[in-house]
Amino acid sequence: MPTSLPETLARVRRVVDDRLPGLLADPASGPDAAAVGDALPGAAREALLSPGKRVRPGLVFLVGDLFGAPEQRLLDPACAVEMIHAASLALDDLPSMDDATTRRGRPALHAVHGEDLAILAAVTLIVRAFGVLADAGLSALRPATALDLVSRLADATGLLGLASGQSLDLRTPEAAASFDRLETIHARKTGALFVASAEFGAVLGGARERELAAVRSYARNVGLAFQIVDDLLERQDPARTGKHAKRAPAPTFARHVGEEGARRLVTELTAHAVEALEPFGARGALLREFASLLGARTA
Amino acid sequence: MPTSLPETLARVRRVVDDRLPGLLADPASGPDAAAVGDALPGAAREALLSPGKRVRPGLVFLVGDLFGAPEQRLLDPACAVEMIHAASLALDDLPSMDDATTRRGRPALHAVHGEDLAILAAVTLIVRAFGVLADAGLSALRPATALDLVSRLADATGLLGLASGQSLDLRTPEAAASFDRLETIHARKTGALFVASAEFGAVLGGARERELAAVRSYARNVGLAFQIVDDLLERQDPARTGKHAKRAPAPTFARHVGEEGARRLVTELTAHAVEALEPFGARGALLREFASLLGARTA
């Protein structure tokens, strides 16, 4: 493990960015001439390769390192998580969802390629994520381990994860946005993939059940804090996030308990995350710093 | 193996229809009170449980039986294939794709629940399909076998399968719809999931590589014939398929080579499918009958 957190995260971003294109090769660049002109591979690559912080792969690596997982085993699973995340962004921006015309300061995927291709690109990335895990299980990982990751990623993306979180986010009227409901929305929409990322690192490092529970608790709290900070940043300066959405703002903690309350909540969640690391003592230093880093992103 | 093909298919339909609801349980019906009111589980169940012929599960079982796979091992993988198929129908009907207002004579999913939920229901079904395979690999199947199925299903759904087929189908202008291009479209949009279904049965029955290649060839031809017949049926009587689509008809073989030519093509493809079964002798009887049945669905 190299010295500092920023160095580690920069390195993870680099190896992930180097690896992603090869995991989503365009079949038409091979012998598959009959499909030349299919715009889908390009759209899917654009969705995946647009510049990002690679926060979730960072979490996979940090937790994996905590348990001594060889980094070479972490890479493809971390890329699979990023594929799901990229798909979720392409879907969020659709006219029937957040109706965003820009993302990270660029035109949204559907604005460039049409809604149909944006949806199909998201589907492509989602199924490829599972394909990448399967390939890893037929080479670098034990099959049972890879299958465990498939199961966790499916859970994080379905009715207890991303899809449900997005559905609740879109369909919860302001009046029904209780504290508990907001927590459920964020836990699913953001927390679930953070938890899966931490689980990936732990499983690949051979963590025991109790250790797994600890990093789950850490990731859940960090994920919630991350989402609240995102909402605060977007509220303070919509241009900052590079996303322009036409939909009325979704229910957020910031609207529910005010900016001060939301900031207190981030502090509390970050403290809970750090507490969960107690069993790991000094070995948890980088994860503690990671939690503080994500929580301190206030404008 | 029971006596006749119709009996076998009816039995498969029954066991699949009995099994599907339990594989897509609504989490809110459990202790998950905070998500009460999420419309997504209902929309996903509606997409999956609306009456269907369960042709692909039928193929999984027929090929599985050919290789002596215990039927209990075939059931959940067959249900996973049906989940992908149901997701593809929900996506096909979207306003940005075929823009269909009805499906199987009922309002299309997006017409009832909105585009957002139709898309999220499709995502839910897709990821659940992989979750079902993972669960099977952690119980009834060997992990390596389940992982092999994950890999095949991912391939059948992504850039060499359904997603690409749909993209090419939507974006190929009539003038570019050569015979080869049409074959690629149908091979991906329909053939790939037929091939995966046959592979599932073969892998679960422990087929050897050469046997696997034979049933792949069978399924590819049957899948193409199936799609051409579907197009013929829709052309002859749009009301018959229960689907009303606003989009201009997609490029089809029937438009390319005429109805007579398309029917000859179905006959040829069915013959190719039957030829591929030659190594299996009398054991291939039900699959031969299945190919004829699908090819003979002309109005």
Side-chain angles (χ1 to χ4, degrees), chain B residues 54-133:
Chain B
R54 314 303 182 205
V55 171
R56 292 154 194 83
L59 185 53
V60 174
F61 273 76
L62 288 172
V63 175
D65 286 341
L66 175 68
F67 295 107
E71 300 212 338
Q72 193 257 325
R73 270 203 259 164
L74 298 168
L75 181 54
D76 285 5
C79 289
V81 170
E82 188 66 17
M83 287 177 179
I84 297 288
H85 173 60
S88 78
L89 298 184
L91 294 178
D92 278 4
D93 290 345
L94 288 171
S96 64
M97 302 203 193
D98 286 359
D99 198 9
T101 50
T102 64
R103 161 73 67 176
R104 292 168 177 169
R106 302 171 168 204
L109 198 67
H110 70 85
V112 178
H113 294 281
E115 282 178 62
D116 51 352
L117 284 199
I119 295 165
L120 294 171
V123 167
T124 298
L125 292 175
I126 290 168
V127 300
R128 186 62 192 133
F130 293 101
V132 164
L133 293 178

Side-chain angles (χ1 to χ4, degrees), chain A residues 27-83:
Chain A
S29 66
D32 192 18
V36 166
D38 185 4
L40 180 61
R45 288 166 71 90
E46 215 173 299
L48 182 61
L49 305 179
S50 77
K53 299 184 289 291
R54 315 304 183 204
V55 171
R56 292 153 194 82
L59 185 53
V60 173
F61 273 75
L62 288 171
V63 174
D65 286 340
L66 175 68
F67 294 108
E71 300 213 337
Q72 193 257 326
R73 268 202 259 165
L74 297 169
L75 181 55
D76 284 5
C79 289
V81 170
E82 189 65 17
M83 287 177 178

Side-chain angles (χ1 to χ4, degrees), chain B residues 131-152:
Chain B
V132 164
L133 293 178
D135 292 346
L138 301 168
S139 57
L141 305 182
R142 285 177 44 235
T145 303
L147 211 57
D148 186 14
L149 303 185
V150 167
S151 177
R152 291 174 195 276

Side-chain angles (χ1 to χ4, degrees), chain A residues 205-220:
Chain A
R208 283 164 301 184
E209 199 50 56
R210 231 163 103 184
E211 295 169 323
L212 200 61
V215 297
R216 283 178 61 89
S217 167
Y218 168 83
R220 188 170 194 284

Side-chain angles (χ1 to χ4, degrees), chain A residues 240-262:
Chain A
R240 185 191 156 110
T241 57
K243 175 174 168 179
H244 177 73
K246 293 184 205 148
R247 180 168 81 103
T252 63
F253 280 112
R255 297 177 76 195
H256 193 70
V257 296
E259 295 207 9
E260 270 318 300

Side-chain angles (χ1 to χ4, degrees), chain A residues 180-249:
Chain A
D180 281 0
R181 169 60 69 114
L182 284 169
E183 196 178 354
T184 300
I185 293 174
H186 293 331
R188 293 184 178 187
K189 195 175 156 147
T190 308
L193 204 54
F194 271 72
V195 168
S197 301
E199 288 178 332
F200 273 30
V203 165
L204 292 166
R208 283 164 301 184
E209 199 50 56
R210 231 163 103 184
E211 295 169 323
L212 200 61
V215 297
R216 283 178 61 89
S217 167
Y218 168 83
R220 188 170 194 284
N221 283 292
V222 164
L224 281 173
F226 182 84
Q227 182 59 53
I228 296 171
V229 172
D230 252 19
D231 292 337
L232 280 170
L233 291 176
E234 197 168 333
R235 188 185 165 97
Q236 287 165 358
D237 179 8
R240 185 191 156 110
T241 57
K243 175 174 168 179
H244 177 73
K246 293 184 205 148
R247 180 168 81 103

Side-chain angles (χ1 to χ4, degrees), chain B residues 60-264:
Chain B
V60 174
F61 273 76
L62 288 172
V63 175
D65 286 341
L66 175 68
F67 295 107
E71 300 212 338
Q72 193 257 325
R73 270 203 259 164
L74 298 168
L75 181 54
D76 285 5
C79 289
V81 170
E82 188 66 17
M83 287 177 179
I84 297 288
H85 173 60
S88 78
L89 298 184
L91 294 178
D92 278 4
D93 290 345
L94 288 171
S96 64
M97 302 203 193
D98 286 359
D99 198 9
T101 50
T102 64
R103 161 73 67 176
R104 292 168 177 169
R106 302 171 168 204
L109 198 67
H110 70 85
V112 178
H113 294 281
E115 282 178 62
D116 51 352
L117 284 199
I119 295 165
L120 294 171
V123 167
T124 298
L125 292 175
I126 290 168
V127 300
R128 186 62 192 133
F130 293 101
V132 164
L133 293 178
D135 292 346
L138 301 168
S139 57
L141 305 182
R142 285 177 44 235
T145 303
L147 211 57
D148 186 14
L149 303 185
V150 167
S151 177
R152 291 174 195 276
L153 194 62
D155 284 348
T157 313
L159 287 183
L160 290 172
L162 270 170
S164 168
Q166 177 70 352
S167 161
L168 290 169
D169 189 35
L170 290 168
R171 299 297 187 93
T172 298
E174 190 67 31
S178 64
F179 193 90
D180 281 359
R181 170 60 70 114
L182 284 169
E183 197 178 354
T184 300
I185 293 174
H186 293 332
R188 294 183 179 189
K189 195 174 157 149
T190 308
L193 204 54
F194 271 72
V195 169
S197 301
E199 288 178 332
F200 272 30
V203 166
L204 291 167
R208 283 163 301 183
E209 200 49 56
R210 229 163 105 184
E211 296 170 321
L212 199 62
V215 297
R216 282 177 63 89
S217 166
Y218 168 83
R220 188 171 194 283
N221 284 293
V222 164
L224 281 173
F226 183 84
Q227 182 59 52
I228 297 171
V229 172
D230 251 19
D231 291 338
L232 280 170
L233 291 176
E234 197 168 333
R235 188 183 164 99
Q236 288 164 359
D237 179 7
R240 186 191 154 113
T241 56
K243 175 175 168 177
H244 178 71
K246 292 182 206 153
R247 179 167 82 103
T252 64
F253 280 112
R255 296 176 76 194
H256 193 70
V257 297
E259 294 206 9
E260 271 318 302
R263 251 188 232 109
R264 262 199 310 277

